[in-house]
Amino acid sequence: MAFILALFAISLASGFLIPVTLAFLLFFVFARLRRSMVRRKIPAGIAAGLIVLTVVVAVALVLMAIATPASQLLDRIPEITGRLESKIQGLRGSISLLDAAVMQLRRNGDPESAVVTSSAFIAIVTAMPELVGQVFFVLCLLFFLILCGDLLYLKIVQSFDALSDKRAAYKALRDIEDSLGQYLGAITVINVGLGVAIGLAMWALGMPSPAVFGLMAFLFNFVPYLGAIAGALVATFVALMTFFGIGYPLFVGLVYMALTAIEGQLITPYYVSRRLRMNPVVVFGAIALGAYLWSIVGMVVAVPLLVVTSVIADHLPALHKFANFLSGESPPLLATTDTPT
C-alpha cells in the first residue's frame, strides 16, 4: 500500500517533481564542467549563467529545427489524405479502422474540422503558460544548483555523523556525477552518429526532409527500444505518403530499424561502460512506468534515474542485491559438480 500511495503522490505532484528532477539531473551532468570552470578562475555565477545559457540555446535550436517541418506537414494534410485514401482503397471493406482514419482525415477540409482544429489550438495555447513556467523553473533551479553546488554537497555530507558515512556520501555524489556524465555523454555522441547515419540513409532512399529524420532519430533514441520503434513507424508512414506501393515504404522502415539495431546491439554496448548497463527488463519497465506517471518526460528521464538509483544502491550494503538486479552485467556461471549416483 505504501508503494501504491507513493506512486499516486508522484503522479499527483508531477507539475512540481518533473522540473525538479530535470534540474537535478542536469546539475549532475554539468557538475564536472562547473568545477572545471571554477578551477580556471571563472566565478561560479558566471559559470552557472554560461551553462544555463548553453542549455537554452540548445533547446531553442532543437525547437526551431522541428517547427518548420511540422508546419509544412500540417499544410500537406489534404495531400496526405488523398494519398492515404488511394493506398487503402482496396482494403476498405476489410479494415474498418483504417477506413475510419481516412474519414477522420477527410473531415480536415470540412467546416466542422475547423472547430476541432480551433479547439486543439486553444488547448495548446492554454497549456503554454504552464509549460513556459516549468521550463523557467527548471532553468532557475539549475542556475542556483550550479551556483551553490559545493555548498549543497557540503550540507549533504554534514548530515551524516560518522566520518566513514561522510566519505561514503561524498563518494556516492561524485559517482553519480561520473556515471551520469559518462552515460549521457556516450549516449549523446552515439545518437548524433545515429542521426547522421539515418539522415544520410533517408536522403539516399529519396525521403523528403532527410535532416528532419536525422534529428528525429537523435531525439527518439534517448528513449531505449520504444524510440527506435516509434521512429521506424514515422519513417514508414511518411514513405507511404511519398512513394507508390507498399513494398518500398516497408523497406524504408526496415532500413531505419536495421540502423537502430546496429546501434543498440553493437555500438552502444561497446562504448557504454559495462558498469552503466542496465537490465533490459528493468529498463523497459522503468520506461513504461515513467510514461504512465509523467508521460513523455517520464520516458526520457527513466534511464538516467535508473543510473542514479543503481549508483546509490551500489553504495548501500543493504541494497547490493537490488543493485545487482538492476545491472545488465551477466552473472558469473554457477560452479557445477558431478554428484555420484
Side-chain angles (χ1 to χ4, degrees), residues 16-137:
F16 173 76
L17 291 179
I18 287 177
V20 169
T21 302
L22 288 174
F24 270 93
L25 289 177
L26 290 173
F27 163 70
F28 282 118
V29 169
F30 291 112
R32 298 177 68 181
L33 176 60
R34 177 198 63 84
R35 195 174 293 115
S36 175
M37 296 173 71
V38 171
R39 281 199 300 265
R40 289 172 170 79
K41 308 302 181 182
I42 299 177
I46 296 178
L50 290 175
I51 291 173
V52 171
L53 180 61
T54 301
V55 173
V56 171
V57 171
V59 173
L61 290 176
V62 171
L63 292 178
M64 289 172 59
I66 294 175
T68 300
S71 62
Q72 293 176 351
L73 180 62
L74 290 176
D75 293 338
R76 294 184 58 192
I77 284 181
E79 178 186 351
I80 292 174
T81 302
R83 291 194 176 187
L84 180 61
E85 184 175 357
S86 64
K87 293 282 184 182
I88 61 173
Q89 186 70 33
L91 302 177
R92 240 186 222 181
S94 57
I95 306 181
S96 57
L97 290 178
L98 289 177
D99 186 50
V102 173
M103 296 302 295
Q104 182 65 34
L105 283 172
R106 181 184 288 175
R107 283 197 292 268
N108 286 332
D110 296 339
E112 295 180 359
S113 68
V115 178
V116 177
T117 305
S118 176
S119 301
F121 178 76
I122 293 174
I124 293 174
V125 172
T126 304
M128 282 301 294
E130 181 181 0
L131 178 61
V132 172
Q134 288 190 342
V135 171
F136 182 74
F137 180 41

Side-chain angles (χ1 to χ4, degrees), residues 197-334:
I198 287 183
L200 292 175
M202 297 299 106
W203 171 76
L205 293 171
M207 291 285 288
S209 304
V212 175
F213 285 98
L215 178 63
M216 180 187 70
F218 167 76
L219 295 175
F220 280 18
N221 210 51
F222 280 101
V223 180
Y225 311 124
L226 298 181
I229 295 173
L233 291 176
V234 171
T236 304
F237 179 77
V238 174
L240 282 170
M241 301 303 101
T242 305
F243 305 105
F244 294 101
I246 297 179
Y248 193 75
L250 292 178
F251 176 72
V252 171
L254 288 176
V255 170
Y256 190 105
M257 282 298 297
L259 291 174
T260 55
I262 293 172
E263 172 271 325
Q265 301 300 321
L266 299 178
I267 299 176
T268 297
Y270 182 80
Y271 285 100
V272 175
S273 171
R274 182 175 298 178
R275 181 172 61 90
L276 299 178
R277 297 179 196 167
M278 297 287 107
N279 185 337
V281 177
V282 176
V283 170
F284 189 83
I287 292 173
L289 181 61
Y292 175 74
L293 294 175
W294 292 350
S295 187
I296 297 176
V297 178
M299 298 171 68
V300 174
V301 303
V303 178
L305 287 178
L306 270 183
V307 173
V308 174
T309 304
S310 177
V311 172
I312 295 175
D314 280 334
H315 286 80
L316 297 177
L319 296 179
H320 280 177
K321 292 183 179 179
F322 179 64
N324 180 64
F325 178 75
L326 295 179
S327 172
E329 297 184 30
S330 300
L333 296 177
L334 297 175

Side-chain angles (χ1 to χ4, degrees), residues 115-174:
V115 178
V116 177
T117 305
S118 176
S119 301
F121 178 76
I122 293 174
I124 293 174
V125 172
T126 304
M128 282 301 294
E130 181 181 0
L131 178 61
V132 172
Q134 288 190 342
V135 171
F136 182 74
F137 180 41
V138 169
L139 295 176
C140 289
L141 181 57
L142 176 62
F143 175 82
F144 287 109
L145 286 173
I146 296 174
L147 180 65
C148 307
D150 293 333
L151 178 62
L152 178 64
Y153 279 16
L154 181 61
K155 294 298 182 180
I156 293 175
V157 170
Q158 286 180 342
S159 63
F160 295 90
D161 296 326
L163 181 60
S164 59
D165 293 338
K166 294 178 185 292
R167 291 174 176 173
Y170 182 73
K171 188 176 186 304
L173 292 171
R174 294 300 298 268

